[in-house]
């Protein structure tokens, strides 16, 4: 079985500061990895995903994440936080070749941006 | 990107009634759709996998007789919460698998908030 751990249920950063949201996975085989953002009372928007190839993945809104197999991690970063980045962020995994499988989500990290 | 819609976006019903939620893929065909449930300030939990033309596959602990899923076409899946009770109040989110995309991506709907009085 695979699982996802997001360290820190709440992360607070100042506007313009670096954003770092942590995600570690547990799986016998490296899975596909995803980051989603959720704004209040809305569905999920895909920020980025890693399936294969380059381990540094660039997504929308200036976010990027790096897959590190040795650390079983897929941390999300953004060089400079913006007020509009305040939202809930979910890391998710899906097993390789499991296209017909649903995603397993972490508990989420609430990102707070201080002016 | 591909668009998935849900209807209604919110619904309030009395205890004991049934509520149907629709999930539609608007610009692609989805042989597989997924239903998730999200409690306030918590993560999404997969409830079931909906396959067009066949029975849904439910996750452990999800009552199939309570949460009826029908995937009648390649663009529509419905979730019916039967005999709803207050503990069924939650945010229900669907996703649709675009298997035709190069990267086999799942797209999420905007969610439906169910409140059972």
């Amino acid at each position: 079985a695979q699982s996802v751990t997001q360290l820190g249920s709440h992360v607070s950063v100042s506007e313009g500061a670096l954003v770092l949201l942590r995600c570690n996975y547990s799986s016998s085989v490296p899975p596909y990895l995803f980051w989603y953002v959720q704004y209040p009372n809305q569905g999920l928007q895909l920020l980025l995903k890693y399936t294969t190839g380059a381990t540094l993945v660039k997504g929308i809104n200036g976010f990027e994440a790096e897959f590190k197999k040795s650390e079983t991690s897929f941390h999300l970063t953004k060089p400079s936080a913006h007020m509009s980045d305040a939202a809930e962020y979910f890391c998710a995994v899906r097993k390789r070749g499991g296209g017909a499988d649903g995603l397993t989500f972490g508990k989420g990290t609430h990102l707070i941006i201080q002016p | 990107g591909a668009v998935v819609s849900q209807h209604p976006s919110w619904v309030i019903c009395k205890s004991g009634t049934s509520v149907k939620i629709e999930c539609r893929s608007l610009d692609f065909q989805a042989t597989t759709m997924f239903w998730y449930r999200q409690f306030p300030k918590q993560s999404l939990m997969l409830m079931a996998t909906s396959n067009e033309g066949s029975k849904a596959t439910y996750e452990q602990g999800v009552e199939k007789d309570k949460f009826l899923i029908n995937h009648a076409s390649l663009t529509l899946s419905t979730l019916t919460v039967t005999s709803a009770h207050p503990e069924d109040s939650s945010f229900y989110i669907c996703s649709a698998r675009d298997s035709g995309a190069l990267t086999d991506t799942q797209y999420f709907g905007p969610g439906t908030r169910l409140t059972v009085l």
Side-chain angles (χ1 to χ4, degrees), chain A residues 38 41 43 49 99 101-103 106, chain B residues 36 38 43 97 103 105-106 110:
Chain A
Q38 184 181 35
N41 298 310
K49 63 181 176 182
D101 295 342
L103 302 179
Chain B
Y36 296 84
Q38 184 180 31
S43 188
R97 175 193 180 200
T103 52
T105 302
Q106 294 181 22

Side-chain angles (χ1 to χ4, degrees), chain A residues 74 90 94:
Chain A
F74 191 56
F90 292 97
R94 195 190 85 202

Side-chain angles (χ1 to χ4, degrees), chain B residues 19-102:
Chain B
V19 174
K20 179 184 286 188
I21 302 170
E22 294 184 349
C23 176
R24 293 181 185 272
S25 57
L26 298 185
D27 48 5
F28 65 98
Q29 294 184 330
T31 55
T32 305
M33 292 184 175
F34 305 90
W35 288 96
Y36 296 84
R37 182 174 183 176
Q38 184 180 31
F39 289 106
K41 300 188 184 304
Q42 294 189 29
S43 188
L44 284 76
M45 298 296 293
L46 179 66
M47 298 175 64
T49 302
S50 170
N51 298 297
E52 188 268 337
S54 64
K55 291 183 178 181
T57 303
Y58 291 82
E59 296 300 300
Q60 190 173 8
V62 177
E63 300 177 59
K64 60 181 66 177
D65 293 332
K66 181 166 191 60
F67 298 99
L68 300 179
I69 292 173
N70 185 288
H71 195 152
S73 77
L74 288 173
T75 59
L76 173 65
S77 175
T78 60
L79 169 68
T80 301
V81 183
T82 62
S83 186
H85 288 90
E87 58 266 29
D88 299 324
S89 298
S90 189
F91 196 48
Y92 293 88
I93 304 176
C94 74
S95 73
R97 175 193 180 200
D98 185 0
S99 55
L102 290 176

Side-chain angles (χ1 to χ4, degrees), chain A residues 2-55:
Chain A
Q2 51 195 7
S3 64
V4 181
T5 302
Q6 289 183 241
L7 295 177
S9 59
H10 291 77
V11 170
S12 180
V13 302
S14 299
E15 189 175 18
L18 171 71
V19 175
L20 171 60
L21 304 182
R22 300 178 186 274
C23 173
N24 288 87
Y25 67 88
S26 174
S27 176
S28 56
V29 176
Y32 292 160
L33 296 149
F34 307 83
W35 274 100
Y36 287 89
V37 60
Q38 184 181 35
Y39 296 99
N41 298 310
Q42 295 187 28
L44 276 70
Q45 181 180 12
L46 179 67
L47 283 175
L48 49 79
K49 63 181 176 182
Y50 172 77
T51 56
T52 187
T55 56

